[in-house]
């Protein structure tokens, strides 16, 4: 998967954004109506809230698993990763039928030192992407 990365300043702190380079992300809107956020509290951060370099490198397997958590044909897609203020947020749209709790539990078991929290919301209209403070996908 090809990724597009950018960084901006938000509330005087760096915000790093990474998103898959989908041909047309809006094609998934009909199938994937639930917005899932998995938030990872970063253990080793600089004063500006970004992870320390060595620590960030140590997260590569964890990050890879979260980037590939769902089958994009039937379960869901990852659409954004934010790193800001000592956290990394993985944002997904998933189907109502996706058993995301088992996948999150697997991540917790495989990476017990990485504290994560999750939150699921109905977002049939994909309002999160549409109202995001920066354009992440062409509307």
């Amino acid at each position: 998967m090809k990724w597009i990365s950018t960084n901006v300043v938000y509330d005087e702190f760096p915000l790093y954004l990474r998103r898959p380079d989908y041909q047309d992300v809006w094609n998934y809107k009909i199938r994937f109506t639930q917005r899932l956020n998995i938030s990872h509290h970063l253990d080793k951060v600089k004063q500006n809230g970004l992870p320390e370099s060595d620590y960030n490198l140590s997260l590569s397997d964890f990050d890879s698993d979260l980037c590939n958590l769902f089958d994009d044909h039937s379960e869901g897609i990852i659409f954004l990763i934010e790193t800001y203020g000592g956290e990394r947020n993985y944002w997904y749209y998933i189907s109502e039928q996706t058993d995301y709790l088992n996948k999150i539990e697997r991540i917790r078991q495989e990476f017990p030192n990485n504290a994560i929290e999750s939150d699921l919301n109905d977002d049939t209209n994909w309002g999160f992407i549409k109202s995001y403070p920066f354009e992440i996908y062409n509307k």
Side-chain angles (χ1 to χ4, degrees):
M1 180 181 314
K2 182 179 173 189
W3 290 83
I4 296 174
S5 299
T6 189
N7 58 51
V8 297
V9 175
Y10 185 74
D11 284 343
E12 301 181 23
F13 287 97
L15 168 63
Y16 280 55
L17 303 170
R18 185 169 29 131
R19 69 166 181 86
D21 187 19
Y22 292 114
Q23 284 252 317
D24 187 358
V25 73
W26 304 102
N27 287 334
Y28 294 101
K29 186 174 174 244
I30 293 171
R31 286 183 287 161
F32 305 136
T33 60
Q34 305 298 299
R35 185 183 68 244
L36 174 66
N37 170 247
I38 298 176
S39 182
H40 174 216
H41 176 75
L42 301 169
D43 288 332
K44 298 177 183 176
V45 295
K46 302 174 193 173
Q47 198 167 6
N48 65 3
L50 295 178
E52 293 177 359
S53 297
D54 289 343
Y55 172 67
N56 195 41
L57 288 173
S58 76
L59 298 173
S60 64
D61 290 341
F62 174 75
D63 183 77
S64 178
D65 275 16
L66 285 172
C67 289
N68 297 294
L69 196 58
F70 300 108
D71 177 287
D72 64 356
H73 296 291
S74 60
E75 296 177 318
I77 60 166
I78 186 166
F79 69 88
L80 179 65
I81 301 170
E82 304 167 310
T83 303
Y84 177 80
E87 289 190 350
R88 183 164 288 149
N89 290 294
Y90 296 82
W91 294 95
Y92 308 85
Y93 278 110
I94 64 174
S95 77
E96 290 183 30
Q97 292 77 33
T98 298
D99 185 3
Y100 71 96
L101 291 174
N102 277 336
K103 291 182 181 278
I104 291 172
E105 186 55 33
R106 181 187 60 79
I107 294 292
R108 283 190 174 119
Q109 289 177 7
E110 286 185 32
F111 303 95
N113 295 327
N114 295 340
I116 60 173
E117 296 177 13
S118 65
D119 184 44
L120 182 72
N121 291 285
D122 181 68
D123 191 5
T124 305
N125 195 33
W126 284 29
F128 181 88
I129 289 179
K130 293 176 183 176
S131 65
Y132 197 77
F134 307 99
E135 186 173 283
I136 49 177
Y137 292 98
N138 294 332
K139 298 175 184 169

